[in-house]
Amino acid sequence: MVSKLRRWLREGLILLALLVVVTVLVDAWRAPQVPPSFDSTPLQTVDGETVTLGKLSEEKPVLLYFWASWCGVCRFTTPDVARLHQEGVNVMTIALRSGSESDVSRWLTRKNVTFPVINDASGEISRRWEISVTPTLVIVSKGEVVSTTSGWTSYWGMKLRLWWANAF
């Protein structure tokens, strides 16, 4: 019985290690390319506020969330990002080719989601970042990209990445 448990535990740890390696490799392969001077480029939110990622990430890391209203996976990630924002996490989101500002605002209202949004209606911002997958999450701290991931990410996965950015 004990030997079966040890074998199961060993195989479980090997599987977990392989999963971590594959996840890291896929994230590296799909990682966005940080555009030059991204931290000082002025961006306009749908509320009319002008922000820069450098300024937003000065005091504490910012979770930059690339999403789309048409993205199937985003419907699972978006509520977690909204929850983090409600908890006081520094969040900025970019709606990729999701329509006009009023379309994005209506979508947010229908989903009962509140967080700051930059509408990338033409996809220009996302092209500069070479975003190939939605959702994509980028952690920026003090104007530097410290973490990226694409695809579904759990609430705790986001919290862990933000904690890591705060710790170092």
Side-chain angles (χ1 to χ4, degrees), residues 33-36 41-43 120 123-131:
Q33 298 303 306
V34 180
T41 302
L43 301 166
D120 187 17
E124 181 56 34
I125 297 168
S126 301
R127 269 193 296 283
R128 280 186 285 170
W129 280 80
E130 295 183 25
I131 300 295

Side-chain angles (χ1 to χ4, degrees), residues 28-50:
W29 175 58
R30 295 192 304 196
Q33 298 303 306
V34 180
S37 67
F38 80 93
D39 59 330
S40 60
T41 302
L43 301 166
Q44 184 93 20
T45 68
V46 295
D47 293 334
E49 183 182 359
T50 301

Side-chain angles (χ1 to χ4, degrees), residues 27 30-32 34 62-67 71 73-74 76-82 84 89-94 115 129 131-140 145-159 161-162:
D27 277 350
R30 295 192 304 196
V34 180
V62 64
L63 172 65
L64 181 61
Y65 175 52
F66 289 87
W67 63 278
C71 166
V73 176
C74 296
F76 299 107
T77 307
T78 298
D80 290 336
V81 173
L84 288 168
V89 170
N90 199 9
V91 171
M92 181 55 62
T93 72
I94 299 179
F115 45 52
W129 280 80
I131 300 295
S132 60
V133 175
T134 56
T136 292
L137 296 114
V138 178
I139 308 289
V140 180
V145 172
V146 295
S147 175
T148 65
T149 190
S150 296
W152 178 79
T153 302
S154 71
Y155 168 82
W156 290 106
M158 290 181 240
K159 292 256 320 172
R161 285 175 173 84
L162 287 160

Side-chain angles (χ1 to χ4, degrees), residues 54-126:
K55 186 73 173 163
L56 281 175
S57 68
E58 255 177 22
E59 307 267 329
K60 61 182 182 176
V62 64
L63 172 65
L64 181 61
Y65 175 52
F66 289 87
W67 63 278
S69 60
W70 44 264
C71 166
V73 176
C74 296
R75 70 180 153 183
F76 299 107
T77 307
T78 298
D80 290 336
V81 173
R83 178 178 167 194
L84 288 168
H85 176 66
Q86 289 172 341
E87 292 172 356
V89 170
N90 199 9
V91 171
M92 181 55 62
T93 72
I94 299 179
L96 170 62
R97 293 187 315 267
S98 294
S100 68
E101 289 188 6
S102 61
D103 292 335
V104 171
S105 293
R106 276 193 304 274
W107 187 90
L108 293 168
T109 300
R110 273 195 322 270
K111 299 296 183 182
N112 198 25
V113 174
T114 57
F115 45 52
V117 179
I118 297 163
N119 187 22
D120 187 17
S122 68
E124 181 56 34
I125 297 168
S126 301

